[in-house]
Amino acid sequence: MTGELLIFIFLFLVTITGGLLMINLTKVIHMVMALVLTFLGIAGLFILLSAEFVAVVQVLIYSGAITIIMLFGIMLTKHSEEEPKTGWAKKGFVFTGIAIFFFVIFFGIRNLSLGPQAENLHEKNTEQIGIMLFTDYVIPFELVSVVLLVSLVGAVILAKKDGKEKEGEEL
Amino acid sequence: MSSIPLSAFLVTALLLFCMGLYGALTKRNAVIVLISIELMLNAVNLNLVAFAKYGVGASIRGQVFSLFTITVAAAEAAVGLAILISLYRNRATVNVDEMNTLKK
C-alpha cells in the first residue's frame, strides 16, 4: 500500500462521489455544485498522471468557467427548483443498457497494459506542451482559436434579444 | 515510476462516462443534460492523459490532445447555453421533452 495508491483511491472516491451526487440530488444548483467535486478530483488524477499543466487548465476552465456559465444558465431560465422526475420504466431501460455497456468495456480493459510508461512527462511539462503545440500542432492550434472566436460570436448573436418589434419588451 | 496500473484510470473514466451517459439520457432539465455531456468529455480527457503516460509510444501528445478537447468543450458549452437561452425566450421551457418543435 504505497502513498501513491492511497492518493489514487482518495481521488477516485472524490470523483465518483461527485458523479453519483450529480445523478441523485434533486435540486439543480446542488447538482452543478456536486459536479465541481468531480472536476477537482479529475484535476488531482491529472497531477497523478504527471500532467500538471492540464490539471491547472482543468481547474481554471471546468471548475471555474464552465460551472459559473452553467449556473448563469440555470439562473437565467426559470426552472422548477426540483428536477422533474423521469418515469421508472425509462430509467430502468436506460440503466440496463448502460450496465451492459459498462460490463462489455470493463472486461475489455480490466487487465490492459500497453508497453512501458513515459518517463519524462513531469520534466518541464508546460514547456514540452508548448513546444509540441508550436511545432507539430500549429494548424490545429490556430483552428481552435478560430473555433473559439466563432463560438463567441455565435453565442452573442444567439443570445441577444432579437427583432425590432420586440424592442422594449421585458424578457 | 508509477505503481498504479493503467486499467485503474481507465475504469475511473469508464464509470464517469457511464454516469454522464445516464444523466444525459434520463435528466429532463436541459442545463443538466449539457453538464452530463461535459462529464462524458471529462472521462475522455482522463483517458487521453492516461494514454499519454501509459500508452503505446507514450508521449506528451495525449496531453496536447486533451487541451484541444477542453477548448472545444468550452466552445460547446457557450453555444449550447446560448441556444438554450434563446429557446427559453421563445418557448418558456427548459425541459428537453417539451422541446419538440421539429416533430410538429
Side-chain angles (χ1 to χ4, degrees):
Chain A
M1 200 71 161
T2 58
E4 196 181 16
L5 195 62
L6 281 177
I7 291 173
F8 174 78
I9 290 171
F10 172 72
L11 290 172
F12 173 82
L13 288 178
V14 166
T15 313
I16 298 302
T17 312
L20 284 178
L21 280 178
M22 196 280 282
I23 288 178
N24 288 318
L25 286 177
T26 49
K27 287 192 175 159
V28 185
I29 302 250
H30 294 178
M31 294 164 102
V32 180
M33 285 305 160
L35 216 65
V36 177
L37 204 64
T38 310
F39 289 153
L40 289 177
I42 292 175
L45 287 175
F46 283 166
I47 290 179
L48 215 56
L49 284 164
S50 53
E52 293 95 5
F53 183 71
V54 185
V56 173
V57 168
Q58 168 89 8
V59 172
L60 280 179
I61 306 281
Y62 274 106
S63 27
I66 290 198
T67 310
I68 299 293
I69 209 180
M70 288 300 171
L71 284 179
F72 266 106
I74 288 170
M75 286 188 243
L76 286 177
T77 55
K78 191 179 69 193
H79 57 282
S80 46
E81 180 99 337
E82 310 262 316
E83 163 85 11
K85 287 272 177 287
T86 316
W88 283 109
K90 188 190 173 194
K91 266 187 184 168
F93 182 68
V94 170
F95 188 80
T96 320
I98 289 175
I100 293 170
F101 169 79
F102 176 82
F103 282 110
V104 168
I105 305 286
F106 180 73
F107 286 113
I109 63 175
R110 65 183 163 159
N111 285 324
L112 187 68
S113 64
L114 309 160
Q117 294 178 21
E119 300 282 357
N120 56 351
L121 287 182
H122 57 280
E123 296 161 7
K124 295 183 182 168
N125 183 262
T126 313
E127 187 181 334
Q128 285 191 55
I129 288 179
I131 288 172
M132 190 57 86
L133 266 183
F134 286 104
T135 52
D136 286 14
Y137 293 102
V138 187
I139 296 173
F141 181 74
E142 297 295 335
L143 280 180
V144 152
S145 66
V146 174
V147 165
L148 274 181
L149 177 68
V150 168
S151 77
L152 177 70
V153 175
V156 170
I157 289 177
L158 275 173
K160 87 177 195 325
K161 216 186 259 187
D162 45 44
K164 285 196 176 93
E165 68 272 16
K166 285 183 184 168
E167 204 70 53
E169 189 181 310
E170 283 302 310
L171 284 184
Chain B
M1 287 304 277
S2 168
S3 57
I4 305 164
L6 167 66
S7 46
F9 290 101
L10 294 189
V11 168
T12 316
L14 177 63
L15 277 169
L16 280 178
F17 188 87
C18 287
M19 283 182 211
L21 194 59
Y22 182 79
L25 290 177
T26 57
K27 300 295 177 188
R28 290 169 66 195
N29 190 319
V31 180
I32 300 300
V33 173
L34 280 180
I35 282 177
S36 302
I37 294 171
E38 296 292 333
L39 202 58
M40 288 159 75
L41 287 166
N42 257 292
V44 174
N45 274 339
L46 190 55
N47 269 357
L48 282 173
V49 175
F51 284 131
K53 186 161 186 185
Y54 296 86
V56 182
S59 70
I60 200 89
R61 280 164 209 271
Q63 298 184 14
V64 175
F65 263 79
S66 73
L67 287 175
F68 286 137
T69 322
I70 289 176
T71 325
V72 175
E76 174 253 319
V79 175
L81 219 61
I83 291 176
L84 191 67
I85 286 174
S86 104
L87 201 63
Y88 174 74
R89 195 171 293 149
N90 290 323
R91 303 288 306 273
T93 180
V94 283
N95 273 3
V96 280
D97 48 0
E98 291 168 32
M99 295 175 183
N100 50 6
T101 327
L102 282 179
K103 258 194 204 169
K104 290 174 183 165

